[in-house]
Amino acid sequence: MLPLHDSSHRRLNVLTGEWVLISPHRAQRPWQGQVERAQEQREPAYDPSCYLCPGNTRARGERNPSYSSTFVFDNDYPALRPERPEPVEAAMAESPLIVAQGERGICRVGCFSPRHNLTLAGMELGEIIAVIEMWRQQFADLGERDFINYVQIFENRGTMMGASNSHPHCQLWGSYSIPNEPAKEQTSQRDYMESYQRCLLCEYIRLERSYGDRVIFQNESFLVVVPFWAVWPFETLILPFQHTADLSGITGAQSDQLAEVLQKLSACYDRLFNTPFPYSMGFHQQPTDGEAHPEWHLHAHFFPPLLRSAGIRKFMVGFELLGTPQRDITPEAAAERLRELCG
Ligand code: H2U
Ligand code: ZN
């Protein structure tokens, strides 16, 4: 174990190349700031006013089928459209300081279940396996288009994280460009492989298993850790032991194990502050640009905002916005609390 528990220090996120400041003593400071209102009351299994429930009409008039498992539709308010974009480059030829590019893509919404009040923590394993199958199919279907070079799958859970609807769902965005975060991770993974002829995350998994103090739990195929460089208080990383670049590379047995990990981790999160735990989660996978990407190692990030209780969240403001992200509890202390809850 490294002697990093008492004094302020910086840690490097080797996946993005960015630093995080850790100030363990600050967790004691008093809080007179914003306290979030208690989470929503119990939801019904079917909500006639929900845009995502089976058989209901969505905001733009389309009617959902009476689906019984997962259900995917094109976002009615997509951030990206598949049509070739207007050329914007010519408009800016006058200065290298004004730079823009047209961008195209496809945005979809994926419902996890017909039941309005289910969450990953409350779903049966078989139901989560169906969600993983949906992710695999969507990754393949979007990724095979020649104008889609990257597929981002993510879930916003809870109003605190901007989810517009409590019906369990994710979003799937396929884009021409590789977005900022996976682009940084790609550079780091490629640089590491060029320097050491090994996969960065395979090596990181080996290290975390040997240290043990940031591991929350593991099963035969996956490791769950609070990463050494975590920014959000209870941020976690899910890593497959097998080197695979995207979800198409995992076997049926590994898919079962991933379902178990997702169910268990979300249940632990809900127990942490006795509240439906808000988060943004998503998978980082290799680009679908037709190139070989031996450097890429599939993983999932969970970014939950809560810090001290169901009502007190971490704000990424001030120094975080203008300087460097900063955290008050060490990743090791966060991992210890989550490990206790996960049994
Ligand atoms: P959240 O994952 O942040 O809750 O977003 C849900 C998405 O669902 C959002 O992008 C889409 C919104 O555009 N949506 C529809 O496409 N049709 C609807 O009828 C409601 C919401
Ligand atoms: Zn619903």
Side-chain angles (χ1 to χ4, degrees):
M1 204 188 303
L2 304 167
L4 292 176
H5 296 274
D6 300 324
S7 59
S8 298
H9 61 277
R10 309 202 292 162
R11 296 188 187 185
L12 180 65
N13 180 338
V14 294
L15 265 180
T16 61
E18 290 167 349
W19 292 90
V20 50
L21 176 64
I22 307 201
S23 320
H25 49 278
R26 266 186 108 231
Q28 313 320 329
R29 74 189 194 283
W31 182 258
Q32 295 185 315
Q34 179 173 321
V35 178
E36 312 285 335
R37 278 193 304 160
Q39 270 277 336
E40 60 266 25
Q41 63 292 17
R42 289 215 170 280
E43 299 275 352
Y46 167 75
D47 176 354
S49 69
C50 169
Y51 291 125
L52 306 185
C53 273
N56 289 2
T57 303
R58 296 204 303 274
R60 288 210 144 153
E62 265 209 59
R63 200 185 176 83
N64 298 327
S66 299
Y67 62 96
S68 56
S69 175
T70 60
F71 167 54
V72 178
F73 62 92
D74 283 333
N75 198 311
D76 298 308
Y77 305 91
L80 295 165
R81 293 180 184 281
E83 300 83 41
R84 197 174 286 282
E86 294 289 318
V88 295
E89 288 80 356
M92 312 155 328
E94 287 164 21
S95 169
L97 298 180
I98 308 294
V99 182
Q101 285 174 348
E103 179 67 340
R104 63 199 289 213
I106 296 177
C107 296
R108 293 180 176 159
V109 179
C111 301
F112 290 173
S113 156
R115 271 188 53 195
H116 183 81
N117 58 357
L118 269 189
T119 62
L120 285 177
M123 288 167 82
E124 303 286 338
L125 281 181
E127 294 171 317
I128 304 179
I129 291 166
V131 173
I132 296 169
E133 192 48 39
M134 167 183 90
W135 290 334
R136 284 155 59 106
Q137 281 172 11
Q138 289 298 316
F139 179 79
D141 181 65
L142 292 168
E144 75 181 16
R145 291 155 208 252
D146 59 359
F147 67 97
I148 290 190
N149 295 315
Y150 188 78
V151 179
Q152 184 59 58
I153 299 171
F154 63 96
E155 178 195 3
N156 294 323
R157 183 180 173 205
T159 48
M160 206 185 282
M161 288 312 275
S164 58
N165 188 310
S166 57
H167 195 113
H169 67 283
C170 66
Q171 296 196 46
L172 312 119
W173 293 27
S175 57
Y176 180 79
S177 304
I178 302 181
N180 295 349
E181 295 304 314
K184 285 183 272 186
E185 292 190 354
Q186 169 152 306
T187 302
S188 301
Q189 292 177 98
R190 197 161 48 198
D191 289 353
Y192 188 88
M193 186 158 268
E194 273 170 24
S195 301
Y196 299 99
Q197 289 75 53
R198 275 196 301 243
C199 161
L200 185 157
L201 283 176
C202 284
E203 185 61 11
Y204 181 65
I205 290 168
R206 197 187 63 72
L207 284 173
E208 287 294 17
R209 291 178 95 182
S210 71
Y211 285 123
D213 55 346
R214 282 173 297 275
V215 172
I216 304 171
F217 63 88
Q218 49 191 310
N219 61 21
E220 259 170 62
S221 308
F222 292 89
L223 178 70
V224 184
V225 293
V226 177
F228 179 72
W229 52 79
V231 164
W232 294 93
F234 294 96
E235 177 179 334
T236 53
L237 189 59
I238 302 178
L239 296 154
F241 294 135
Q242 183 196 297
H243 181 78
T244 173
D246 62 47
L247 283 168
S248 73
I250 66 169
T251 63
Q254 288 165 344
S255 168
D256 297 356
Q257 305 255 309
L258 178 57
E260 182 189 286
V261 162
L262 290 169
Q263 187 192 54
K264 188 167 172 179
L265 180 60
S266 26
C268 298
Y269 272 148
D270 288 353
R271 282 203 290 275
L272 182 60
F273 296 130
N274 254 325
T275 193
F277 210 69
Y279 58 73
S280 274
M281 71 79 72
F283 290 88
H284 279 153
Q285 313 188 62
Q286 70 173 330
T288 54
D289 54 3
E291 310 277 319
H293 288 288
E295 76 280 15
W296 258 99
H297 193 119
L298 164 75
H299 56 277
H301 296 276
F302 273 77
F303 299 123
L306 291 180
L307 172 61
R308 300 186 194 205
S309 65
I312 300 184
R313 57 165 296 166
K314 167 73 183 167
F315 284 97
M316 288 291 171
V317 293
F319 195 78
E320 284 85 353
L321 273 184
L322 292 150
T324 293
Q326 179 267 337
R327 59 178 293 134
D328 302 334
I329 51 167
T330 61
E332 294 72 29
E336 194 177 342
R337 282 189 68 186
L338 287 171
R339 196 162 46 235
E340 280 163 9
L341 288 165
C342 288

